[in-house]
Amino acid sequence: MDIYESAVDEVAAAGYSRIALGVEYKGSRYKGWQRQADGVRSVQETLEKALSRVAASPVSVLCAGRTDAGVHACGQVVHFDTQAVRPERAWVMGANAELPHDISVTWARPMPADFHARFKAVARRYRYVIYNDPIRPAHLGEEVTWNHRPLDVARMAEAAAPLLGTHDFSAFRASQCQAKSPIKQLHHLRVTRHGQMIVIDVRANAFLHHMVRNLAGVLMAIGSGDKPVSWAREVLEGRERRQGGVTAHPYGLYLVSVEYPQAYALPDRYIGPHFLTGFADLPS
């Protein structure tokens, strides 16, 4: 937890309105979500500058999940507190007029004072997109991970099955992970092929640092035949990161959805990324 996610931000102060936003972005040009002390480009700082212009006062935002450098989002949720009064449309259109082309605000809603983008979330969902072809793609080069070796999706899906449920995912967390507990509940982990695209779709109550990329790395090693199907379970039960192979590239990773209690009535949007929305056979 950092200074921008401290306990004082759990409830909006008197005289302030709490606003929630849906945000999507391409992470390729940014050093991750979180504002950096050395002033390098981050999604958070870029969004805050745009919202501050709309509010005509400083705005600090808190997000549902801090994405790494190169990672994208279709369904990021943030909130901020402000004394500025603006219609929902003004927050959306005003922010987008100030933002660069690779960040967009998709919706805005006034929220109860106790809403918190991070702490009130009950589930998060990611998609990891692999372009599986001998030739590297000239398009979507920063939006997908290219794997030139043939990947067996059936083997990958079989290997994923033992990872479902509540487990200690220590073997899938980065060494710098700050989570208090490695125990997470994986609700689904689906692996499907759509032409040259392979999509790893994973939903959990929360994720560890690099957890999805480490899951993807293990499944690709199994799909290529380098490792047996049983290896995913062995890595999980070993609980040691050094046994889990390489961390997959960030470019194919998307935060696609964050879920909250129905009482907050946040807008529903399609599950991205955009270039997959026409795939009728992709599980919703």
Side-chain angles (χ1 to χ4, degrees):
M1 185 182 300
D2 58 38
I3 61 172
Y4 303 109
E5 295 187 347
S6 60
V8 297
D9 294 310
E10 291 189 27
V11 178
Y16 283 78
S17 298
R18 179 152 291 185
I19 308 295
L21 303 178
V23 184
E24 61 183 31
Y25 49 85
K26 177 180 174 180
S28 309
R29 296 195 308 141
Y30 300 93
K31 287 292 185 179
W33 162 266
Q34 189 171 347
R35 185 191 306 115
Q36 305 290 315
D38 55 5
V40 299
R41 180 180 292 165
S42 69
V43 178
Q44 180 183 16
E45 183 177 15
T46 305
L47 179 61
E48 288 175 342
K49 287 180 178 178
L51 291 170
S52 296
R53 294 188 187 103
V54 178
S57 60
V59 169
S60 296
V61 301
L62 301 178
C63 72
R66 290 175 290 182
T67 52
D68 291 334
V71 175
H72 316 297
C74 312
Q76 178 73 273
V77 176
V78 309
H79 81 259
F80 63 94
D81 296 339
T82 182
Q83 291 180 307
V85 178
R86 306 283 186 272
E88 294 176 18
R89 178 177 172 81
W91 287 119
V92 175
M93 303 306 291
N96 287 340
E98 300 287 346
L99 286 166
H101 63 86
D102 49 7
I103 304 176
S104 294
V105 173
T106 57
W107 53 262
R109 287 284 170 88
M111 300 303 295
D114 70 337
F115 175 81
H116 195 287
R118 178 184 175 190
F119 299 135
K120 294 297 184 179
V122 296
R124 295 163 177 83
R125 184 173 175 181
Y126 285 84
R127 280 177 170 170
Y128 192 85
V129 185
I130 305 159
Y131 182 78
N132 191 210
D133 191 87
I135 306 300
R136 63 174 174 82
H139 306 288
L140 300 179
E142 296 180 331
E143 281 93 348
V144 297
T145 286
W146 171 49
N147 193 314
H148 70 281
R149 302 178 65 183
L151 298 178
D152 187 327
V153 168
R155 282 172 55 88
M156 295 168 71
E158 182 182 353
L163 305 179
L164 295 176
T166 302
H167 302 286
D168 181 334
F169 284 94
S170 292
F172 295 93
R173 72 188 297 184
S175 59
Q176 64 269 40
C177 181
Q178 298 177 1
K180 294 180 179 179
S181 171
I183 298 175
K184 304 299 174 187
Q185 183 181 18
L186 225 61
H187 301 141
H188 75 233
L189 178 52
R190 303 166 181 156
V191 187
T192 54
R193 178 180 284 278
H194 313 272
Q196 302 306 102
M197 298 287 191
I198 295 173
V199 180
I200 300 173
D201 189 316
V202 55
R203 176 178 178 268
N205 65 328
F207 289 89
L208 302 166
H209 191 196
H210 286 176
M211 180 172 165
V212 180
R213 291 168 59 190
N214 290 331
L215 287 167
V218 165
L219 294 179
M220 283 192 283
I222 292 169
S224 68
D226 283 346
K227 296 289 185 178
V229 169
S230 60
W231 188 53
R233 182 193 291 272
E234 293 167 5
V235 170
L236 176 71
E237 293 177 349
R239 299 182 183 180
E240 293 186 18
R241 175 67 203 120
R242 61 184 177 83
Q243 297 179 355
V246 301
T247 300
H249 200 284
Y251 278 176
L253 182 57
Y254 294 79
L255 173 59
V256 297
S257 179
V258 185
E259 300 172 33
Y260 296 90
Q262 291 185 352
Y264 289 120
L266 293 181
D268 284 327
R269 270 178 65 84
Y270 57 83
I271 303 296
H274 295 296
F275 58 85
L276 296 182
T277 56
F279 293 4
D281 57 340
L282 186 66
S284 60

